[in-house]
Amino acid sequence: MKRARIVGTGMAVPEKVLTNADLEKIVDTTDEWIVSRTGIRERRIASEHEALSDFALPAAQRALEMAGIPGDEVDLVICATVSPDTPFPATSTQIQAAIGAAGAAAFDISAACTGFIYGLGIANQYLRAGGAKTALVVGGEILSKFTDWTDRNTCVLFGDGAGAVVLRADGESESGILGVSLHSDGHLGHLLQRPAGGSRRPPSLRDLEADQSFIKMRGNETFKVAVRSLAEVSDEVLKAAGLAHEEVDWFIPHQANLRIIEAVGRRLEIREGHTYVNIERYGNTSAASVPIALDELNRAGRIEEGDIVLCAAFGSGLVWGAGLFRW
Ligand code: COA
């Protein structure tokens, strides 16, 4: 059976940098608290006029450019996001039109911070089964627009941006996706949510005034589930591929909290220096965090041919997943 291979990566983030010192002026917090509890020092924030596609599109174009593949060869466009330009049409269709992927299948998926791994899993199935030849998977988020900037529990955590990969079906290559594992537990949906703005509670002034249209999170409980689920799903995808933990050359975890990343790395016994962390510069960019990290590593030339790369993420749903590939 054909294997899905990543042939290009790209990313784009807003120019505006919001530091912890800036946040000290907005809410009752300190740089010391944020750095010691989360590892975050700054994050990128979109301007008033910027939307998801302003970053998703350049990220996609950079991935296509690296792959040397023209947009019209893409026959599947997936955009993972919970902060699309508009509730509908899907942002993936904006990307499809802009890259000239005429007639391609295009849809958005909603799996919060695990969205990119879900997208990877879907693209993998399409490419292996012959339903598509060239897939573009974008993970992007502009959560700053849905953040309550008076809530210190959440506003210090998130950042905006987008990352993308181009995947090709390859019958010859040893490299490519070795496995993707995806899971969910809707009983834990209340831990992290935007209560209003959907069909249960359509946009209303009352909800806006009560701040119900913004992100609500029970951080401490989310933290515990995150560590357990990330470790379990990483273990599962490695076992399914018949690989040992010490064979992982790069572990790219969702960048939600440095303490979560370190706890998972310890549980998985990832070799020292083989976990990629950039949370200090971007915060939690949700669906964008794994593809942004992947692109940074790739463009820095730090992933070598044949390297085993493990990605894992968790997020609102709750949903979690891991993807494993040979570079
Ligand atoms: N600055 C200063 N104090 C803050 C603060 C901030 N930005 N945010 C919260 N606090 C306070 C709380 O009010 C609380 O004070 P209290 O004890 O007087 O009530 C205290 O810090 C401890 O809060 P707690 O929630 O127990 O802290 P924590 O160690 O769990 O860290 C998170 C909070 C949010 C950083 C952490 O729980 C976390 O990262 N959780 C996972 C979140 C996540 O990954 N979400 C995304 C999933 S994709």
Side-chain angles (χ1 to χ4, degrees), residues 76 78 105 107 121-133 135:
L76 174 65
I78 300 174
F107 51 87
I122 296 167
N124 187 37
Q125 297 293 344
Y126 262 92
L127 293 171
R128 282 170 68 88
K133 288 193 178 71

Side-chain angles (χ1 to χ4, degrees), residues 29 33 37 113 152-153 217 219-220 254 256-257 259 284 314:
T29 191
W33 191 96
R37 298 292 183 110
C113 302
R152 68 177 184 175
N153 290 293
M217 185 178 67
N220 207 276
H254 172 43
N257 185 310
R259 290 184 295 141
N284 178 350
F314 71 96

Side-chain angles (χ1 to χ4, degrees), residues 250-316:
W250 280 111
F251 177 42
I252 306 179
H254 172 43
Q255 311 281 314
N257 185 310
L258 184 59
R259 290 184 295 141
I260 295 178
I261 294 171
E262 288 173 348
V264 175
R266 275 195 302 275
R267 281 200 191 192
L268 290 175
E269 296 177 353
I270 298 294
R271 287 176 290 157
E272 185 80 27
H274 290 253
T275 299
Y276 190 69
V277 179
N278 63 8
I279 190 171
E280 70 282 359
R281 287 177 285 129
Y282 301 119
N284 178 350
T285 57
S286 185
S289 94
V290 168
I292 285 178
L294 181 62
D295 184 54
E296 284 195 339
L297 259 179
N298 190 24
R299 279 179 199 268
R302 295 175 69 189
I303 317 181
E304 288 175 15
E305 201 180 327
D307 273 1
I308 298 294
V309 182
L310 169 67
C311 304
F314 71 96
S316 168

Side-chain angles (χ1 to χ4, degrees), residues 27-30 33-34 37-38 112-114 151-158 192 217-224 226 254 256-257 259-260 284 286 314-316 318:
V27 285
D28 180 15
T29 191
T30 61
W33 191 96
I34 302 172
R37 298 292 183 110
T38 71
C113 302
T114 318
D151 176 12
R152 68 177 184 175
N153 290 293
T154 52
C155 77
V156 302
L157 301 175
F158 299 101
L192 179 51
M217 185 178 67
R218 284 158 65 166
N220 207 276
E221 290 159 79
T222 309
F223 189 105
K224 289 172 195 152
H254 172 43
N257 185 310
R259 290 184 295 141
I260 295 178
N284 178 350
S286 185
F314 71 96
S316 168
L318 294 181

